[in-house]
Amino acid sequence: MQPLIDNARTFGQRPEEFAELGQGQSPQVLFITCSDSRVVPALITGARPGDLFELRTAGNIVPPYHSAHPASETATIEYAVEVLGVRDIVVCGHSHCGAVGALVRGDDLDGVPAVRDWLSHAAGEPDTADPGDPCVERAVTHHVLSQLLRLRSYPCLEKRLADGTLSLHGWYYEVHTGAVREHRPESDAFEAL
């Protein structure tokens, strides 16, 4: 913890670098990814403060849209699209994902009921996923595509997707190499950026 505290102490000693941020935010991208500490959106993308609006959830899960029972995640997505006017949404899954791995392996999550219930929002994983693969790549890439499909059901996205003012992107990040691949609809494969 001490190195983090030391950095926080010196971080605010450069106010000129941050003065403009006090005027508001206008990020162009909503970046939805996992809460995993090995996944750092600003590090992966080189983003500076104000560039990304982030939504981090266990397993980068986008919950179903329910207007009668809004969730924090739903509100974040709606705010990014309707108020901030983001032009792109990236759903970024990653290798070695504990959430997706737990689903693939059928782990007993009764000891962590909130986690178990949250993961019930995930889409079913492919039958061909290998429970012995620590990367769970096939399951994670399937999961990313399922979350993109779920996003398409959000009312706030429909018009913007239809008129071309919003684009969706599926990424797969390898925590052990730093490589990032994007889903290409024309080949239905995740390819290097």
Side-chain angles (χ1 to χ4, degrees):
M1 183 70 182
Q2 193 58 48
L4 301 176
I5 292 170
D6 293 342
N7 189 65
R9 283 183 180 139
T10 61
F11 192 71
Q13 294 178 4
R14 303 181 307 262
E16 66 282 354
E17 293 179 31
F18 301 99
E20 189 177 303
L21 297 175
Q23 305 303 313
Q25 63 174 326
S26 57
Q28 301 303 305
V29 178
L30 168 60
F31 200 92
I32 301 172
T33 194
C34 187
S35 305
D36 191 299
S37 63
R38 299 167 294 177
V39 181
V40 183
L43 186 62
I44 295 167
T45 63
R48 301 282 303 145
D51 290 345
L52 297 177
F53 197 66
E54 294 181 26
L55 174 59
R56 298 188 65 154
T57 69
N60 56 274
I61 292 173
V62 174
Y65 183 86
H66 295 295
S67 60
H69 304 286
S72 170
E73 298 80 16
T74 306
T76 299
I77 294 164
E78 186 176 77
Y79 187 81
V81 173
E82 295 290 352
V83 177
L84 297 176
V86 297
R87 291 187 231 158
D88 295 278
I89 298 176
V90 174
V91 175
C92 182
H94 67 94
S95 68
H96 303 84
C97 182
V100 174
L103 293 170
V104 169
R105 292 184 303 271
D107 290 355
D108 178 5
L109 300 174
D110 288 340
V112 283
V115 173
R116 178 197 61 218
D117 295 349
W118 175 252
L119 294 182
S120 72
H121 291 303
E125 303 309 331
D127 294 335
T128 56
D130 178 5
D133 174 17
C135 291
V136 289
E137 178 180 346
R138 184 169 173 81
V140 169
T141 55
H142 172 79
H143 177 70
V144 166
L145 296 177
S146 296
Q147 302 318 295
L148 289 172
L149 185 60
R150 184 166 292 150
L151 274 171
R152 291 182 175 281
S153 72
Y154 276 51
C156 61
L157 273 70
E158 291 180 273
K159 179 182 179 288
R160 301 248 346 259
L161 287 169
D163 69 16
T165 58
L166 180 67
S167 298
L168 300 179
H169 310 272
W171 286 13
Y172 175 74
Y173 170 64
E174 291 184 342
V175 299
H176 57 292
T177 68
V180 180
R181 291 183 280 153
E182 181 176 26
H183 181 257
R184 307 279 189 212
E186 58 278 3
S187 64
D188 195 26
F190 281 76
E191 301 174 8
L193 289 173

